[in-house]
Amino acid sequence: QSALTQPASVSGSPGQSITISCTGTSSDVGGYNSVSWYQHHPGKAPKLMIYEVSNRPSGVSNRFSGSKSGNTASLTVSGLQAEDEADYYCSSYTRSSTLVFGGGTKLTVL
Amino acid sequence: EVQLLESGGGLVQPGGSLRLSCAGSGFTFSSYAMTWVRQAPGEGLRWVSGISGSDGSTYYADSVKGRFTISKDYSKNTLYLQMNSLRAEDTAVYYCAKCVGGIASGMDVWGQGTTVTVSS
């Protein structure tokens, strides 16, 4: 199972909005509403930010939102804050009944 | 509070075995799927294995199929990962995670990770 495709890095200034893409195939992202997004600060446990494409867990800021179109899912972070700086990973359920992650995107807040 | 605590990591020689444990608290193990995810040094997150909450169906990444076995003890609320025929490329931090519901639903609670090093 090939990893989902994410940009290696994105950046934005405080207060701005950024979007991270996650591209797969019809066998994973495009075939299921089972895309999740995780925030990962090095040395800490990953944190679920979005599940099932666009659902936000309790306690996650509404500045984080998710969407999907075809084989590409997206995570948008609005009103960027310094604490948003982290690695972000998407994942998707696949036709093989497995999960697959993206390669990760490093978000830098300038 | 829902918590997960991994243990069992360490240094092992190539070809050796190791069993990771993940003790859960604050939730009913049988109601949720559970997974193992790893992160090799300098790399991203990689899904390793999952087990459903209801019927105990198991799922594996191709890279570990036939070598790793996931299981859980409902009475102890503990998840396990038996790792055999370990290779250098299995070196990673291993995280256990609880799913929101089924295995496709996303992982909402994570442990702090346990480090596995495969080296002679």
Side-chain angles (χ1 to χ4, degrees), chain B residues 49-105:
Chain B
S49 180
I51 185 167
S52 69
S54 52
D55 64 5
S57 296
T58 58
Y59 310 92
Y60 299 94
D62 287 345
S63 58
V64 306
K65 197 175 296 183
R67 300 188 300 123
F68 290 13
T69 302
I70 189 172
S71 63
K72 57 182 178 179
D73 185 329
Y74 293 92
S75 66
K76 296 182 179 179
N77 248 33
T78 300
L79 177 73
Y80 301 101
L81 185 68
Q82 177 67 43
M83 303 185 296
N84 299 330
S85 302
L86 283 162
R87 307 165 180 168
E89 54 264 37
D90 296 318
T91 294
V93 175
Y94 284 74
Y95 297 97
C96 67
K98 166 191 163 295
C99 294
V100 174
I103 194 169
S105 60

Side-chain angles (χ1 to χ4, degrees), chain A residues 85-100:
Chain A
E85 186 162 296
D87 297 322
Y88 289 83
Y89 295 88
C90 62
S91 78
S92 175
Y93 184 69
T94 80
R95 188 171 59 186
S96 304
S97 300
T98 61
L99 298 177
V100 62

Side-chain angles (χ1 to χ4, degrees), chain A residues 1 34 36 38 40 43-46 48 51-52 89 91 93 97-99 101-103, chain B residues 37 39 43-47 59-60 62 95 100 103-108 110-112:
Chain A
Q1 179 67 50
S34 297
S36 302
Y38 302 89
H40 192 201
K44 302 186 75 175
L48 178 66
Y51 68 99
E52 293 173 351
Y89 295 88
S91 78
Y93 184 69
S97 300
T98 61
L99 298 177
F101 278 94
Chain B
V37 174
Q39 184 175 36
E43 298 188 7
L45 300 176
R46 292 290 181 267
W47 179 79
Y59 310 92
Y60 299 94
D62 287 345
Y95 297 97
V100 174
I103 194 169
S105 60
M107 295 163 271
D108 62 344
W110 294 66
Q112 285 300 310

Side-chain angles (χ1 to χ4, degrees), chain A residues 9-34:
Chain A
S9 63
V10 298
S11 63
S13 300
Q16 289 185 331
S17 295
I18 62 94
T19 297
I20 300 171
S21 61
C22 170
T23 301
T25 69
S26 58
S27 295
D28 38 64
V29 174
Y32 305 90
N33 287 325
S34 297

Side-chain angles (χ1 to χ4, degrees), chain B residues 3-43:
Chain B
Q3 287 186 323
L4 296 171
L5 182 62
E6 302 100 336
S7 61
L11 174 64
V12 61
Q13 292 188 338
S17 298
L18 213 54
R19 189 178 81 157
L20 305 183
S21 300
C22 171
S25 60
F27 67 101
T28 303
F29 236 56
S30 58
S31 298
Y32 303 93
M34 300 288 294
T35 68
W36 288 97
V37 174
R38 69 185 181 185
Q39 184 175 36
E43 298 188 7

